[in-house]
Coordinates of all heavy atoms in Angstrom, one line a residue:
M23 N -13.9 -10.3 -6.9 CA -13.0 -9.3 -6.2 C -11.8 -10.1 -5.7 O -11.9 -11.1 -5.1 CB -13.8 -8.7 -5.1 CG -13.0 -7.7 -4.3 SD -14.0 -6.8 -3.1 CE -15.0 -5.8 -4.1
T24 N -10.6 -9.5 -5.8 CA -9.4 -10.1 -5.3 C -9.3 -9.8 -3.8 O -9.9 -8.9 -3.3 CB -8.2 -9.6 -6.0 OG1 -8.0 -8.2 -5.6 CG2 -8.2 -9.7 -7.5
W25 N -8.5 -10.7 -3.2 CA -8.2 -10.5 -1.7 C -7.7 -9.1 -1.4 O -8.2 -8.5 -0.5 CB -7.3 -11.6 -1.3 CG -6.7 -11.5 0.1 CD1 -5.4 -11.3 0.4 CD2 -7.4 -11.7 1.3 NE1 -5.3 -11.2 1.8 CE2 -6.5 -11.5 2.3 CE3 -8.8 -11.9 1.6 CZ2 -6.9 -11.6 3.7 CZ3 -9.1 -12.0 2.9 CH2 -8.2 -11.8 3.9
G26 N -6.8 -8.7 -2.3 CA -6.2 -7.3 -2.0 C -7.2 -6.2 -2.1 O -7.2 -5.3 -1.3
T27 N -8.1 -6.3 -3.1 CA -9.1 -5.2 -3.3 C -10.0 -5.2 -2.1 O -10.4 -4.2 -1.6 CB -9.9 -5.5 -4.6 OG1 -9.1 -5.9 -5.6 CG2 -10.8 -4.3 -4.9
L28 N -10.4 -6.4 -1.7 CA -11.3 -6.5 -0.5 C -10.7 -6.0 0.8 O -11.3 -5.2 1.5 CB -11.7 -8.0 -0.3 CG -12.8 -8.3 0.8 CD1 -14.1 -7.6 0.5 CD2 -13.0 -9.8 0.9
M29 N -9.4 -6.4 1.0 CA -8.7 -6.0 2.2 C -8.5 -4.5 2.2 O -8.7 -3.8 3.2 CB -7.3 -6.6 2.2 CG -7.3 -8.0 2.7 SD -7.9 -8.2 4.4 CE -6.5 -7.8 5.3
S30 N -8.3 -3.9 1.0 CA -8.1 -2.4 1.0 C -9.4 -1.7 1.2 O -9.5 -0.7 1.9 CB -7.3 -2.0 -0.2 OG -8.1 -1.8 -1.3
R31 N -10.5 -2.2 0.6 CA -11.8 -1.6 0.8 C -12.2 -1.7 2.3 O -12.7 -0.7 2.9 CB -12.9 -2.4 0.0 CG -14.3 -1.7 0.2 CD -15.4 -2.5 -0.5 NE -15.8 -3.6 0.4 CZ -16.5 -4.7 0.0 NH1 -16.9 -4.8 -1.3 NH2 -16.8 -5.6 0.8
A32 N -11.9 -2.8 2.9 CA -12.3 -3.0 4.3 C -11.3 -2.5 5.3 O -11.5 -2.5 6.5 CB -12.6 -4.5 4.6
H33 N -10.2 -1.9 4.8 CA -9.1 -1.5 5.6 C -8.6 -2.6 6.6 O -8.2 -2.4 7.7 CB -9.5 -0.3 6.5 CG -10.0 0.8 5.6 ND1 -9.3 1.6 4.8 CD2 -11.3 1.3 5.5 CE1 -10.0 2.5 4.1 NE2 -11.3 2.3 4.6
G34 N -8.7 -3.9 6.1 CA -8.2 -5.0 6.9 C -9.1 -5.3 8.1 O -8.7 -6.1 9.0
M35 N -10.2 -4.6 8.2 CA -11.1 -4.8 9.4 C -12.4 -5.5 9.0 O -12.9 -5.3 7.9 CB -11.3 -3.5 10.1 CG -10.1 -2.9 10.6 SD -10.5 -1.4 11.6 CE -11.3 -0.3 10.4
C36 N -13.0 -6.2 10.0 CA -14.3 -6.8 9.8 C -15.3 -5.7 9.4 O -15.4 -4.7 10.0 CB -14.7 -7.4 11.1 SG -16.4 -8.1 11.1
E37 N -16.0 -6.0 8.3 CA -17.0 -5.0 7.8 C -18.3 -5.0 8.6 O -19.1 -4.1 8.4 CB -17.2 -5.1 6.3 CG -16.0 -4.7 5.5 CD -16.1 -4.8 4.0 OE1 -16.0 -5.9 3.5 OE2 -16.3 -3.8 3.4
F38 N -18.4 -5.9 9.6 CA -19.5 -5.8 10.5 C -19.1 -5.1 11.8 O -19.7 -4.1 12.2 CB -20.0 -7.2 10.9 CG -21.0 -7.8 9.9 CD1 -21.3 -9.2 10.0 CD2 -21.6 -7.0 9.0 CE1 -22.2 -9.7 9.1 CE2 -22.6 -7.6 8.1 CZ -22.9 -8.9 8.1
C39 N -18.0 -5.6 12.4 CA -17.7 -5.0 13.8 C -16.4 -4.3 13.9 O -16.1 -3.7 14.9 CB -17.7 -6.2 14.8 SG -16.3 -7.2 14.7
G40 N -15.6 -4.2 12.8 CA -14.4 -3.5 12.9 C -13.2 -4.3 13.5 O -12.1 -3.8 13.7
G41 N -13.5 -5.5 13.9 CA -12.5 -6.4 14.5 C -11.5 -6.8 13.5 O -11.7 -6.7 12.3
M42 N -10.3 -7.1 14.0 CA -9.2 -7.4 13.1 C -8.7 -8.9 13.2 O -7.7 -9.2 12.6 CB -8.0 -6.5 13.3 CG -8.4 -5.0 13.1 SD -7.1 -3.9 13.2 CE -6.3 -4.1 11.6
D43 N -9.4 -9.7 14.0 CA -9.0 -11.1 14.2 C -9.5 -12.0 13.1 O -10.7 -12.2 12.9 CB -9.5 -11.6 15.6 CG -8.8 -10.8 16.7 OD1 -7.7 -10.3 16.5 OD2 -9.4 -10.8 17.8
D44 N -8.5 -12.7 12.5 CA -8.9 -13.7 11.5 C -9.9 -13.3 10.5 O -10.9 -14.0 10.4 CB -9.3 -15.0 12.2 CG -8.2 -15.5 13.2 OD1 -7.0 -15.4 12.9 OD2 -8.6 -16.0 14.3
C45 N -9.8 -12.2 9.9 CA -10.8 -11.7 8.9 C -10.7 -12.6 7.6 O -9.6 -12.8 7.1 CB -10.6 -10.3 8.6 SG -11.0 -9.2 9.9
L46 N -11.9 -13.0 7.2 CA -11.9 -13.8 6.0 C -13.1 -13.3 5.1 O -14.0 -12.7 5.6 CB -12.3 -15.2 6.3 CG -11.1 -16.1 6.9 CD1 -11.7 -17.4 7.4 CD2 -10.0 -16.3 5.9
P47 N -12.9 -13.4 3.7 CA -14.0 -13.0 2.9 C -15.2 -14.0 3.0 O -15.0 -15.2 3.1 CB -13.4 -13.2 1.4 CG -12.1 -13.9 1.6 CD -11.8 -14.0 3.0
V48 N -16.4 -13.4 3.1 CA -17.6 -14.2 3.2 C -18.5 -13.8 2.0 O -18.7 -12.6 1.7 CB -18.3 -14.0 4.5 CG1 -19.7 -14.6 4.5 CG2 -17.5 -14.7 5.6
E49 N -19.1 -14.8 1.4 CA -20.0 -14.5 0.2 C -21.3 -14.0 0.7 O -21.9 -14.6 1.6 CB -20.2 -15.9 -0.5 CG -21.1 -15.8 -1.7 CD -20.3 -15.3 -2.9 OE1 -19.1 -15.4 -3.0 OE2 -21.0 -14.8 -3.8
V50 N -21.7 -12.9 0.2 CA -23.1 -12.4 0.4 C -23.9 -12.8 -0.8 O -23.6 -12.3 -1.9 CB -23.1 -10.8 0.6 CG1 -24.5 -10.3 0.9 CG2 -22.1 -10.4 1.7
E51 N -24.8 -13.7 -0.6 CA -25.5 -14.3 -1.7 C -26.1 -13.2 -2.7 O -26.8 -12.4 -2.3 CB -26.6 -15.2 -1.2 CG -27.0 -16.2 -2.2 CD -28.2 -17.1 -1.8 OE1 -28.3 -17.3 -0.6 OE2 -29.0 -17.5 -2.6
G52 N -25.7 -13.3 -3.9 CA -26.2 -12.4 -4.9 C -25.5 -11.0 -5.0 O -25.7 -10.3 -5.9
A53 N -24.7 -10.7 -4.0 CA -24.2 -9.4 -3.9 C -22.7 -9.3 -4.1 O -22.1 -8.4 -4.7 CB -24.5 -8.8 -2.5
G54 N -21.9 -10.3 -3.6 CA -20.5 -10.2 -3.7 C -19.9 -10.7 -2.4 O -20.4 -11.5 -1.7
E55 N -18.7 -10.1 -2.0 CA -18.0 -10.6 -0.8 C -17.8 -9.5 0.2 O -17.6 -8.3 -0.2 CB -16.6 -11.2 -1.2 CG -16.7 -12.5 -1.8 CD -15.3 -13.0 -2.2 OE1 -14.4 -12.2 -2.5 OE2 -15.1 -14.2 -2.3
I56 N -17.8 -9.8 1.4 CA -17.4 -8.8 2.5 C -16.4 -9.5 3.4 O -16.3 -10.7 3.4 CB -18.7 -8.3 3.3 CG1 -19.3 -9.5 4.0 CG2 -19.7 -7.6 2.4 CD1 -20.4 -9.0 5.1
L57 N -15.7 -8.7 4.1 CA -14.7 -9.2 5.0 C -15.3 -9.3 6.4 O -15.8 -8.3 6.9 CB -13.5 -8.2 5.0 CG -12.2 -8.8 5.6 CD1 -11.6 -9.9 4.7 CD2 -11.1 -7.6 5.7
I58 N -15.2 -10.5 6.9 CA -15.8 -10.8 8.2 C -14.8 -11.4 9.2 O -14.0 -12.3 8.7 CB -17.0 -11.7 8.0 CG1 -18.1 -11.0 7.3 CG2 -17.5 -12.3 9.3 CD1 -18.8 -9.9 8.1
C59 N -14.8 -11.0 10.4 CA -13.9 -11.6 11.4 C -14.5 -12.9 11.9 O -15.7 -13.3 11.7 CB -13.7 -10.7 12.6 SG -15.1 -10.5 13.7
S60 N -13.6 -13.7 12.7 CA -14.1 -15.0 13.1 C -15.2 -14.9 14.1 O -16.0 -15.8 14.2 CB -12.9 -15.7 13.7 OG -12.3 -14.9 14.8
I61 N -15.3 -13.8 14.8 CA -16.4 -13.7 15.8 C -17.7 -13.6 15.1 O -18.7 -14.3 15.3 CB -16.2 -12.5 16.7 CG1 -14.9 -12.6 17.5 CG2 -17.4 -12.3 17.7 CD1 -14.5 -11.4 18.3
C62 N -17.8 -12.6 14.1 CA -19.0 -12.4 13.3 C -19.4 -13.7 12.5 O -20.5 -13.9 12.2 CB -18.9 -11.2 12.4 SG -18.8 -9.7 13.4
D63 N -18.4 -14.4 12.1 CA -18.6 -15.6 11.3 C -19.0 -16.8 12.1 O -19.6 -17.7 11.6 CB -17.3 -16.0 10.5 CG -17.6 -17.0 9.4 OD1 -18.7 -16.9 8.8 OD2 -16.8 -17.9 9.2
G64 N -18.8 -16.7 13.4 CA -19.3 -17.7 14.3 C -20.7 -17.5 14.7 O -21.5 -17.0 14.0
D65 N -21.0 -17.8 16.0 CA -22.4 -17.6 16.5 C -22.3 -16.7 17.7 O -22.5 -17.2 18.8 CB -23.0 -18.9 16.7 CG -24.5 -18.8 16.9 OD1 -25.1 -17.8 16.6 OD2 -25.1 -19.8 17.5
P66 N -22.0 -15.4 17.6 CA -21.8 -14.6 18.7 C -23.1 -14.3 19.5 O -24.2 -14.5 18.9 CB -21.2 -13.3 18.1 CG -21.8 -13.2 16.8 CD -21.9 -14.6 16.3
P67 N -23.0 -13.9 20.8 CA -24.2 -13.5 21.5 C -24.9 -12.4 20.8 O -24.2 -11.6 20.2 CB -23.6 -13.0 22.9 CG -22.2 -13.3 22.9 CD -21.7 -13.7 21.5
V68 N -26.2 -12.3 20.9 CA -27.0 -11.4 20.2 C -26.5 -9.9 20.4 O -26.5 -9.1 19.5 CB -28.5 -11.6 20.4 CG1 -28.9 -11.1 21.8 CG2 -29.3 -10.8 19.4
E69 N -26.0 -9.6 21.6 CA -25.5 -8.3 21.9 C -24.4 -7.8 21.0 O -24.2 -6.7 20.7 CB -25.1 -8.1 23.3 CG -26.3 -8.1 24.3 CD -27.2 -6.9 24.0 OE1 -26.7 -5.7 23.9 OE2 -28.5 -7.0 23.9
H70 N -23.6 -8.9 20.5 CA -22.5 -8.5 19.6 C -23.0 -7.8 18.4 O -22.3 -6.9 17.9 CB -21.7 -9.8 19.2 CG -20.6 -9.6 18.2 ND1 -19.4 -9.1 18.6 CD2 -20.5 -9.7 16.9 CE1 -18.6 -8.9 17.5 NE2 -19.3 -9.3 16.5
W71 N -24.2 -8.1 18.0 CA -24.7 -7.5 16.7 C -25.1 -6.1 16.8 O -25.4 -5.5 15.8 CB -25.9 -8.4 16.2 CG -25.4 -9.7 15.8 CD1 -25.8 -10.9 16.3 CD2 -24.4 -10.1 14.8 NE1 -25.2 -12.0 15.7 CE2 -24.3 -11.5 14.8 CE3 -23.6 -9.4 13.9 CZ2 -23.4 -12.2 13.9 CZ3 -22.8 -10.0 13.1 CH2 -22.7 -11.4 13.1
R72 N -24.9 -5.5 18.0 CA -25.1 -4.1 18.1 C -24.0 -3.3 17.3 O -24.2 -2.2 16.9 CB -25.0 -3.6 19.6 CG -26.2 -4.1 20.3 CD -26.5 -3.2 21.5 NE -27.7 -3.6 22.3 CZ -28.8 -2.9 22.3 NH1 -29.0 -1.8 21.7 NH2 -29.8 -3.4 23.1
C73 N -22.9 -4.1 16.9 CA -21.9 -3.5 16.1 C -22.5 -3.1 14.7 O -22.0 -2.3 14.0 CB -20.8 -4.5 15.8 SG -21.3 -6.0 14.9
L74 N -23.7 -3.7 14.4 CA -24.3 -3.4 13.1 C -24.8 -2.0 13.0 O -25.0 -1.5 11.9 CB -25.4 -4.4 12.8 CG -24.9 -5.9 12.6 CD1 -26.1 -6.8 12.4 CD2 -23.9 -6.0 11.5
E75 N -24.9 -1.4 14.1 CA -25.4 0.0 14.1 C -24.4 0.9 13.3 O -24.8 1.8 12.5 CB -25.6 0.6 15.5 CG -26.2 1.9 15.5 CD -26.8 2.3 16.9 OE1 -26.6 1.5 17.8 OE2 -27.4 3.4 17.0
S76 N -23.1 0.7 13.5 CA -22.2 1.5 12.7 C -22.0 0.8 11.3 O -21.8 1.6 10.3 CB -20.9 1.7 13.4 OG -20.4 0.5 14.0
A77 N -22.0 -0.5 11.2 CA -21.9 -1.1 9.9 C -23.0 -0.7 9.0 O -22.9 -0.6 7.7 CB -21.9 -2.7 10.0
A78 N -24.2 -0.4 9.5 CA -25.4 0.0 8.7 C -25.1 1.3 8.0 O -25.8 1.6 7.0 CB -26.6 0.1 9.6
K79 N -24.1 2.1 8.4 CA -23.8 3.3 7.8 C -22.8 3.2 6.6 O -22.5 4.2 6.0 CB -23.3 4.3 8.8 CG -24.3 4.6 9.9 CD -23.8 5.8 10.8 CE -24.8 6.1 11.9 NZ -24.8 5.1 13.0
S80 N -22.4 2.0 6.4 CA -21.5 1.7 5.3 C -22.1 2.2 4.0 O -23.3 2.1 3.8 CB -21.1 0.2 5.2 OG -20.4 -0.1 4.0
D81 N -21.2 2.6 3.1 CA -21.7 3.0 1.7 C -21.4 1.9 0.7 O -21.6 2.0 -0.5 CB -21.3 4.3 1.3 CG -19.8 4.5 1.3 OD1 -19.1 3.5 1.6 OD2 -19.3 5.6 1.1
V82 N -20.9 0.7 1.2 CA -20.6 -0.4 0.3 C -21.9 -1.2 0.2 O -22.4 -1.8 1.2 CB -19.5 -1.3 0.9 CG1 -19.2 -2.5 0.1 CG2 -18.2 -0.4 1.1
P83 N -22.4 -1.4 -1.1 CA -23.7 -2.1 -1.2 C -23.6 -3.5 -0.7 O -24.6 -3.9 0.0 CB -23.8 -2.1 -2.8 CG -23.1 -1.0 -3.3 CD -21.9 -0.8 -2.3
E84 N -22.5 -4.2 -0.9 CA -22.5 -5.6 -0.4 C -22.6 -5.6 1.2 O -23.3 -6.5 1.7 CB -21.1 -6.3 -0.7 CG -20.8 -6.5 -2.1 CD -20.1 -5.3 -2.8 OE1 -20.4 -4.1 -2.5 OE2 -19.1 -5.6 -3.5
V85 N -22.0 -4.7 1.8 CA -22.1 -4.6 3.3 C -23.5 -4.2 3.7 O -24.1 -4.8 4.6 CB -21.1 -3.6 3.9 CG1 -21.2 -3.4 5.4 CG2 -19.7 -4.0 3.5
Q86 N -24.1 -3.3 3.0 CA -25.5 -2.9 3.3 C -26.4 -4.1 3.2 O -27.3 -4.3 4.1 CB -26.0 -1.8 2.3 CG -25.2 -0.5 2.5 CD -25.7 0.6 1.5 OE1 -26.4 0.3 0.5 NE2 -25.4 1.8 1.8
V87 N -26.3 -4.9 2.1 CA -27.1 -6.1 1.9 C -26.9 -7.1 3.1 O -27.9 -7.6 3.7 CB -26.8 -6.8 0.6 CG1 -27.5 -8.1 0.5 CG2 -27.2 -5.8 -0.6
A88 N -25.7 -7.3 3.4 CA -25.4 -8.3 4.5 C -25.9 -7.8 5.8 O -26.5 -8.6 6.6 CB -23.8 -8.5 4.6
V89 N -25.8 -6.5 6.1 CA -26.2 -6.0 7.4 C -27.8 -6.0 7.4 O -28.3 -6.4 8.4 CB -25.8 -4.5 7.6 CG1 -26.5 -3.8 8.7 CG2 -24.2 -4.4 7.8
W90 N -28.4 -5.7 6.3 CA -29.9 -5.7 6.3 C -30.4 -7.1 6.6 O -31.3 -7.3 7.3 CB -30.3 -5.2 4.9 CG -31.8 -5.2 4.7 CD1 -32.5 -6.3 4.2 CD2 -32.7 -4.1 4.9 NE1 -33.8 -5.9 4.1 CE2 -34.0 -4.6 4.5 CE3 -32.5 -2.8 5.4 CZ2 -35.1 -3.8 4.6 CZ3 -33.6 -2.0 5.5 CH2 -34.9 -2.5 5.1
R91 N -29.8 -8.1 5.9 CA -30.2 -9.5 6.1 C -30.0 -9.9 7.5 O -30.8 -10.6 8.1 CB -29.5 -10.4 5.1 CG -30.0 -10.2 3.7 CD -29.2 -11.1 2.7 NE -29.6 -10.8 1.3 CZ -28.8 -11.2 0.3 NH1 -27.7 -11.9 0.4 NH2 -29.3 -11.0 -1.0
K92 N -28.8 -9.6 8.1 CA -28.5 -10.0 9.4 C -29.4 -9.4 10.4 O -30.0 -10.1 11.3 CB -27.0 -9.7 9.7 CG -26.6 -10.0 11.1 CD -26.7 -11.5 11.4 CE -25.6 -12.4 10.8 NZ -25.8 -13.8 11.2
L93 N -29.7 -8.1 10.3 CA -30.6 -7.5 11.2 C -32.0 -8.1 11.1 O -32.7 -8.2 12.2 CB -30.8 -6.0 10.8 CG -29.6 -5.1 11.2 CD1 -29.7 -3.7 10.6 CD2 -29.4 -5.0 12.7
G94 N -32.4 -8.6 10.0 CA -33.7 -9.3 9.8 C -33.7 -10.6 10.6 O -34.8 -11.1 10.9
E95 N -32.6 -11.2 10.8 CA -32.5 -12.5 11.5 C -32.6 -12.3 13.0 O -32.7 -13.3 13.8 CB -31.2 -13.2 11.2 CG -31.2 -13.7 9.7 CD -29.8 -14.2 9.3 OE1 -28.9 -14.3 10.2 OE2 -29.6 -14.4 8.1
I96 N -32.3 -11.1 13.5 CA -32.2 -10.8 14.9 C -33.6 -10.3 15.4 O -34.1 -9.3 15.0 CB -31.2 -9.7 15.2 CG1 -29.8 -10.1 14.6 CG2 -31.1 -9.4 16.7 CD1 -28.8 -9.0 14.6
G97 N -34.1 -11.1 16.3 CA -35.5 -10.8 16.8 C -35.5 -9.8 18.0 O -36.1 -10.1 19.0
E98 N -34.8 -8.7 17.8 CA -34.7 -7.7 18.9 C -35.2 -6.4 18.4 O -35.0 -6.1 17.3 CB -33.2 -7.5 19.4 CG -32.6 -8.8 19.9 CD -33.0 -9.1 21.3 OE1 -33.4 -8.2 22.0 OE2 -32.8 -10.3 21.7
P99 N -35.9 -5.6 19.3 CA -36.4 -4.3 18.8 C -35.3 -3.4 18.3 O -35.5 -2.7 17.3 CB -37.0 -3.7 20.1 CG -37.3 -4.9 21.0 CD -36.3 -5.9 20.6
W100 N -34.1 -3.4 18.9 CA -33.1 -2.5 18.5 C -32.6 -2.9 17.1 O -32.2 -2.0 16.3 CB -31.9 -2.5 19.4 CG -31.3 -3.8 19.8 CD1 -31.6 -4.5 21.0 CD2 -30.3 -4.6 19.1 NE1 -30.8 -5.6 21.0 CE2 -30.1 -5.7 19.9 CE3 -29.7 -4.4 17.9 CZ2 -29.2 -6.7 19.5 CZ3 -28.8 -5.4 17.5 CH2 -28.5 -6.5 18.2
A101 N -32.7 -4.2 16.7 CA -32.3 -4.6 15.3 C -33.2 -4.0 14.3 O -32.8 -3.5 13.3 CB -32.2 -6.1 15.2
A102 N -34.5 -4.1 14.6 CA -35.5 -3.5 13.7 C -35.4 -2.0 13.6 O -35.5 -1.4 12.5 CB -36.9 -3.9 14.2
E103 N -35.0 -1.4 14.7 CA -34.8 0.0 14.8 C -33.6 0.5 13.9 O -33.7 1.4 13.1 CB -34.5 0.4 16.2 CG -34.0 1.8 16.5 CD -35.2 2.7 17.0 OE1 -36.1 2.1 17.5 OE2 -35.0 3.9 16.9
I104 N -32.5 -0.3 14.0 CA -31.3 0.1 13.1 C -31.7 -0.1 11.7 O -31.4 0.7 10.8 CB -30.1 -0.8 13.5 CG1 -29.7 -0.6 14.9 CG2 -29.0 -0.6 12.5 CD1 -28.6 -1.7 15.4
R105 N -32.4 -1.2 11.4 CA -32.8 -1.5 10.0 C -33.7 -0.3 9.4 O -33.5 0.1 8.3 CB -33.7 -2.7 10.0 CG -33.4 -3.6 8.8 CD -34.3 -4.8 8.9 NE -33.9 -5.9 8.0 CZ -34.8 -6.7 7.4 NH1 -36.1 -6.6 7.7 NH2 -34.4 -7.6 6.5
S106 N -34.5 0.2 10.3 CA -35.5 1.3 9.8 C -34.7 2.6 9.5 O -35.2 3.4 8.8 CB -36.6 1.5 10.8 OG -36.1 2.1 12.0
T107 N -33.5 2.7 10.1 CA -32.8 3.9 9.8 C -31.8 3.8 8.6 O -31.1 4.8 8.2 CB -31.9 4.4 11.0 OG1 -30.9 3.4 11.3 CG2 -32.8 4.5 12.3
M108 N -31.7 2.6 8.1 CA -30.7 2.4 7.0 C -31.1 3.1 5.7 O -32.2 3.1 5.3 CB -30.5 0.9 6.7 CG -29.7 0.2 7.8 SD -29.4 -1.6 7.3 CE -28.2 -1.4 6.1
Q109 N -30.1 3.7 5.1 CA -30.3 4.3 3.8 C -29.6 3.4 2.8 O -28.4 3.6 2.5 CB -29.6 5.7 3.8 CG -29.9 6.6 4.9 CD -31.0 7.6 4.6 OE1 -31.4 7.7 3.4 NE2 -31.5 8.2 5.6
L110 N -30.4 2.6 2.2 CA -29.8 1.6 1.2 C -29.5 2.3 -0.1 O -30.3 3.1 -0.6 CB -30.8 0.5 1.0 CG -31.0 -0.5 2.2 CD1 -32.1 -1.5 1.8 CD2 -29.7 -1.2 2.6
S111 N -28.4 1.9 -0.7 CA -28.1 2.4 -2.0 C -29.0 1.7 -3.0 O -29.5 0.6 -2.7 CB -26.6 2.1 -2.3 OG -26.4 0.7 -2.4
P112 N -29.1 2.3 -4.2 CA -30.0 1.6 -5.2 C -29.5 0.2 -5.5 O -30.4 -0.7 -5.7 CB -29.8 2.5 -6.4 CG -29.4 3.8 -5.9 CD -28.6 3.6 -4.7
E113 N -28.2 0.0 -5.5 CA -27.7 -1.4 -5.8 C -28.1 -2.4 -4.7 O -28.5 -3.5 -5.0 CB -26.2 -1.4 -5.9 CG -25.6 -0.6 -6.9 CD -25.1 0.7 -6.4 OE1 -25.9 1.5 -5.8 OE2 -23.9 1.1 -6.6
A114 N -28.0 -1.9 -3.5 CA -28.4 -2.7 -2.3 C -29.9 -3.0 -2.3 O -30.4 -4.1 -2.1 CB -27.9 -2.1 -1.0
R115 N -30.6 -1.9 -2.6 CA -32.1 -2.0 -2.5 C -32.6 -3.1 -3.5 O -33.6 -3.8 -3.3 CB -32.7 -0.6 -2.9 CG -34.1 -0.5 -2.6 CD -34.6 1.0 -2.8 NE -34.0 1.9 -1.9 CZ -34.4 2.1 -0.7 NH1 -35.5 1.5 -0.2 NH2 -33.8 2.9 0.2
A116 N -31.9 -3.2 -4.7 CA -32.3 -4.2 -5.7 C -32.1 -5.6 -5.2 O -32.6 -6.5 -5.7 CB -31.6 -3.9 -7.0
L117 N -31.3 -5.8 -4.2 CA -30.8 -7.1 -3.7 C -31.5 -7.6 -2.4 O -31.5 -8.8 -2.2 CB -29.3 -7.2 -3.5 CG -28.5 -7.1 -4.8 CD1 -27.1 -6.7 -4.5 CD2 -28.6 -8.4 -5.6
V118 N -32.0 -6.7 -1.6 CA -32.6 -7.1 -0.3 C -34.0 -7.5 -0.5 O -34.7 -7.2 -1.5 CB -32.4 -6.1 0.8 CG1 -30.9 -5.9 1.1 CG2 -33.1 -4.8 0.5
Ligands
ZN273 ZN1 -16.6 -8.9 13.1

């Protein structure tokens, strides 16, 4: 995927939190690339990941896979809760 395609899909915003600071493409293993801001790419406080509640509604398979995996790394009840409400696309389901 080219930078331009990724930027236009993501509307220039972080596909996790919607932030616009220093967004960069990040490889989602086996799935493709997503656009991620410097905060999400760093090691933010666990509460930051509540942004995944809206990211979980994305219809982009790469984003779904990345959100699913990230939620799995967060040992909080709300993370498991968001995960349980996700409607994964068939493409994403094959990858998680
Ligand atoms: Zn972000």
Side-chain angles (χ1 to χ4, degrees):
M23 178 175 289
T24 66
W25 172 246
T27 314
L28 183 60
M29 281 300 277
S30 83
R31 183 188 80 195
H33 307 291
M35 297 188 297
C36 174
E37 289 182 284
F38 275 166
C39 74
M42 301 187 77
D43 293 336
D44 302 323
C45 291
L46 286 170
V48 167
E49 181 80 22
V50 182
E51 202 184 328
E55 286 178 332
I56 62 171
L57 196 66
I58 288 296
C59 74
S60 55
I61 298 171
C62 292
D63 193 38
D65 191 15
V68 71
E69 286 298 311
H70 177 78
W71 295 118
R72 292 208 180 244
C73 66
L74 296 177
E75 187 162 6
S76 45
K79 299 185 179 75
S80 169
D81 53 10
V82 177
E84 295 94 314
V85 176
Q86 292 179 343
V87 171
V89 169
W90 178 271
R91 289 177 183 166
K92 178 57 78 178
L93 286 169
E95 293 167 11
I96 302 170
E98 300 281 340
W100 53 261
E103 171 101 19
I104 297 169
R105 220 182 190 213
S106 70
T107 65
M108 284 184 76
Q109 310 265 347
L110 293 174
S111 63
E113 299 100 303
R115 195 173 292 278
L117 290 165
V118 295

